[in-house]
Amino acid sequence: CLMESSVPLQSYKEAAEWILAHTDQRPRIAVICGSGLGTLAETLENKTVIPYEDIPHFPSSTVPGHAGRLVFGLLNGKQCVCMQGRFHIYEGYSMSTVAFPVRVFSLLGVDTLIVTNAAGGINSNYSVGDIMFIKDHINMPGFCGQNPLRGPNEDGFGVRFPCMSDAYDQHLRHLAMDCTQELGLQDIVQEGIYCMLGGPSYETIAECNMLKLLGVDAVGMSTVPEVITGRHCRMHILGISLITNMAILSYNSTAHANHQEVLQTSQLRAAALIALLTNLVGKM
Ligand code: HPA
């Protein structure tokens, strides 16, 4: 066969069946926790914790700041499953492997996906610590063929050519906006365009300026594979970027992008993000 291999349908089914046999919980909401935001999962009640390595066919996470387990439990009274630790293409995984858990969630009955990430601020009106609701994305790796849906279409999940113009659910975004008002977070909230790059190197100054010209508000190395895969199987999606650092746009700058700053800002805003998601899930 001359075709690159994608993930076999049987792998998703076996993973889902294994999970269904190991917890009685049947969440409709899944949360993917980005860099340093995994503490959300700790706040769930009646937890069932499943390490990724126990689940057949599940990939494993290799990044500091990302644990590797599914946490099922109640968030504000609602059943949820949290991914504590996600996968990235820079770890060497294909886009379809990165998005593997999303299809497994779909088989578990999940219909709403909340995706969080750490991102670099490109928009000069943004500040470190801002919370950006994702209005739309640019799949930069997609411009050269990287898409989680590449390969034979799995008709059981969705159509061959799925629409992406409504990828981020407007209703969920407005609900999340309401929550930020209630919590007094409105001064640190933004709404914008997220661009995914492959990483793991951070962007050059020229690349940051290019992204700015393209209308990008925040840049990161994740989220897009999961969102495309989730939309393919008609999940409702809310995307949240935490602006952990500002992209460097000037040759006069002495700043340097680094993972420590990303983790520090995540810790600074962890409580606010947990409050936001807790409040939001209660309204869903
Ligand atoms: N660039 C890419 N990915 C990121 C950044 C960044 O500046 N910050 C957090 N993730």
Side-chain angles (χ1 to χ4, degrees), residues 168-183:
Y168 296 88
D169 191 282
Q170 204 171 350
H171 171 69
L172 280 179
R173 203 159 70 242
H174 290 161
L175 214 54
M177 284 285 187
D178 293 344
C179 296
T180 57
Q181 296 274 348
E182 279 177 33
L183 295 166

Side-chain angles (χ1 to χ4, degrees), residues 1-222:
C1 174
L2 298 174
M3 205 101 79
E4 281 175 46
S5 63
S6 48
V7 181
L9 182 59
Q10 196 58 22
S11 303
Y12 301 110
K13 289 188 172 161
E14 285 172 10
E17 276 161 21
W18 189 95
I19 292 168
L20 290 171
H22 284 80
T23 176
D24 294 333
Q25 306 199 35
R26 298 290 179 264
R28 294 182 60 189
I29 303 169
V31 184
I32 302 180
C33 302
S35 285
L37 305 176
T39 45
L40 171 76
E42 316 288 345
T43 71
L44 300 193
E45 286 163 44
N46 292 336
K47 282 195 273 293
T48 305
V49 177
I50 303 178
Y52 295 158
E53 63 255 31
D54 291 357
I55 309 169
H57 312 293
F58 229 76
S60 52
S61 162
T62 66
V63 191
H66 285 268
R69 45 193 218 159
L70 292 185
V71 182
F72 289 78
L74 293 174
L75 181 60
N76 205 353
K78 295 256 166 66
Q79 285 195 10
C80 288
V81 52
C82 291
M83 273 185 81
Q84 214 178 16
R86 66 137 59 82
F87 312 111
H88 307 84
I89 64 170
Y90 64 72
E91 293 173 84
Y93 294 120
S94 67
M95 280 232 189
S96 49
T97 299
V98 166
F100 179 85
V102 175
R103 283 189 164 174
V104 174
F105 292 157
S106 171
L107 294 176
L108 300 180
V110 167
D111 61 15
T112 301
L113 182 65
I114 302 175
V115 196
T116 69
N117 62 48
I122 298 280
N123 186 323
S124 330
N125 296 323
Y126 288 9
S127 304
V128 168
D130 280 357
I131 293 168
M132 184 187 90
F133 294 122
I134 305 178
K135 188 165 75 177
D136 202 350
H137 75 222
I138 294 176
N139 176 19
M140 196 63 85
F143 287 21
C144 53
Q146 288 228 48
N147 189 297
L149 305 178
R150 183 179 145 94
N153 187 54
E154 290 294 353
D155 298 331
F157 285 110
V159 296
R160 171 76 289 188
F161 301 109
C163 178
M164 286 293 141
S165 48
D166 55 357
Y168 296 88
D169 191 282
Q170 204 171 350
H171 171 69
L172 280 179
R173 203 159 70 242
H174 290 161
L175 214 54
M177 284 285 187
D178 293 344
C179 296
T180 57
Q181 296 274 348
E182 279 177 33
L183 295 166
L185 297 171
Q186 64 279 353
D187 293 344
I188 59 163
V189 168
Q190 311 283 358
E191 190 176 70
I193 314 282
Y194 176 85
C195 181
M196 178 197 178
L197 268 58
S201 51
Y202 287 111
E203 301 68 42
T204 64
I205 293 172
E207 286 163 349
C208 290
N209 281 292
M210 184 193 87
L211 294 175
K212 196 182 173 93
L213 276 175
L214 293 178
V216 169
D217 297 299
V219 59
M221 306 173 189
S222 69

